[in-house]
Amino acid sequence: MKEERFNKLFNIFILAGMTVCVILSTAIKMQDEGARTILLVISAFGALMGVASTVLAANGSIWNFLFGLLDVCIYSYILYDSHMPSQFLLHVLYFIPMEFVGFYQWRRRGAGAESKVKPRMMDSKRYLLFSLLFVAVFAASAGISWLSLSHGGTEFTVGKVAMDALATTANIVALVMMAFAYMEQWYLWTVVNIASIILWTVTLLTSPEAGYAIIPVVKYSFYLINGLNGIRVWRKLSA
């Protein structure tokens, strides 16, 4: 099967599969007693914008930043409602501005309405720099999450704090890599997706009123599949 045909079919699978799963999971959760219908619908729409963004990003399209901005704005509210302080602050103060930074940087690397970005690969110096950044951000994020939850009267566990901090840190570092079109970003997005699946699954199982958490679980599952394809595509684009 030719590369272009495979990518087209794969993208259709991700987009169609995500749409079907979101519609079904939303419809099912609306039947629950006390279901928050408006939040479920908003969350579903944001999830669809998010998966469209990741599919476009995996294919090197600059249009991913438009869909990504919609997803980040919606997801920020969901995080606030779910008492995940470090990730909420991350999205409002960092993710939203970085959508504009990424758009500008991709334009500088040749991305346009119909042209793909030209990715690059990191050298040993940048690997060290990003590794140090990861450790520093993880320590700060874990501290902020623990202080916010412990003083806010919200029940939490060390595992939830650590997973929240891991997802936050990987998000921060991966977004910098994405903005500057480094191929290695996709390895960190894999970490983000796995950590987020675990985090939202725990939220769904331990908080009966957070039924809408099923949508982020589904979303990050598709993100994980798409991200693995992103590694393959970007390795070829950066060669």
Side-chain angles (χ1 to χ4, degrees), residues 107-163:
R107 286 292 299 272
R108 294 185 62 187
R109 294 200 60 79
E114 298 182 359
S115 57
K116 296 181 179 181
V117 68
K118 177 58 180 175
R120 49 186 166 179
M121 300 184 73
M122 294 192 299
D123 54 24
S124 57
K125 181 179 179 180
R126 285 181 173 80
Y127 265 115
L128 176 60
L129 178 63
F130 278 106
S131 296
L132 294 174
L133 177 63
F134 190 94
V135 172
V137 174
F138 179 82
S141 178
I144 292 173
S145 183
W146 181 80
L147 288 173
S148 299
L149 291 172
S150 61
H151 289 84
T154 302
E155 292 186 9
F156 69 96
T157 63
V158 174
K160 181 175 181 178
V161 170
M163 199 59 63

Side-chain angles (χ1 to χ4, degrees), residues 59-216:
N59 287 275
S61 172
I62 197 170
W63 292 108
N64 81 85
F65 294 106
L66 173 61
F67 290 91
L69 182 61
L70 292 172
D71 175 43
V72 171
C73 290
I74 293 172
Y75 194 51
S76 296
Y77 176 75
I78 295 174
L79 289 167
Y80 174 81
D81 187 77
S82 300
H83 306 292
M84 296 182 184
S86 62
Q87 286 211 54
F88 168 73
L89 293 175
L90 163 72
H91 281 68
V92 172
L93 302 179
Y94 181 71
F95 261 48
I96 292 178
M98 284 298 288
E99 294 294 334
F100 297 96
V101 173
F103 182 88
Y104 172 74
Q105 290 294 331
W106 278 37
R107 286 292 299 272
R108 294 185 62 187
R109 294 200 60 79
E114 298 182 359
S115 57
K116 296 181 179 181
V117 68
K118 177 58 180 175
R120 49 186 166 179
M121 300 184 73
M122 294 192 299
D123 54 24
S124 57
K125 181 179 179 180
R126 285 181 173 80
Y127 265 115
L128 176 60
L129 178 63
F130 278 106
S131 296
L132 294 174
L133 177 63
F134 190 94
V135 172
V137 174
F138 179 82
S141 178
I144 292 173
S145 183
W146 181 80
L147 288 173
S148 299
L149 291 172
S150 61
H151 289 84
T154 302
E155 292 186 9
F156 69 96
T157 63
V158 174
K160 181 175 181 178
V161 170
M163 199 59 63
D164 183 32
L166 178 61
T168 300
T169 303
N171 266 309
I172 290 174
V173 180
L175 193 55
V176 174
M177 292 181 180
M178 179 181 178
F180 291 93
Y182 285 114
M183 186 283 296
E184 290 81 2
Q185 63 165 300
W186 292 104
Y187 298 128
L188 275 186
W189 288 128
T190 300
V191 174
V192 171
N193 296 330
I194 292 174
S196 297
I197 290 171
I198 295 173
L199 188 63
W200 282 110
T201 299
V202 171
T203 299
L204 182 63
L205 294 176
T206 58
S207 302
E209 74 281 1
Y212 55 85
I214 186 62
I215 294 177

Side-chain angles (χ1 to χ4, degrees), residues 7-77:
N7 285 335
K8 182 179 293 186
L9 291 175
F10 183 87
N11 294 339
I12 292 174
F13 163 73
I14 293 293
L15 292 171
M18 179 66 179
T19 300
V20 171
C21 288
V22 167
I23 291 175
L24 289 177
S25 59
T26 301
I28 292 172
K29 281 300 175 182
M30 282 184 176
Q31 307 305 313
D32 293 349
E33 184 178 353
R36 302 167 68 182
T37 303
I38 295 179
L39 193 59
L40 279 168
V41 172
I42 292 175
S43 179
F45 177 75
L48 293 177
M49 294 300 97
V51 77
S53 174
T54 60
V55 168
L56 289 168
N59 287 275
S61 172
I62 197 170
W63 292 108
N64 81 85
F65 294 106
L66 173 61
F67 290 91
L69 182 61
L70 292 172
D71 175 43
V72 171
C73 290
I74 293 172
Y75 194 51
S76 296
Y77 176 75

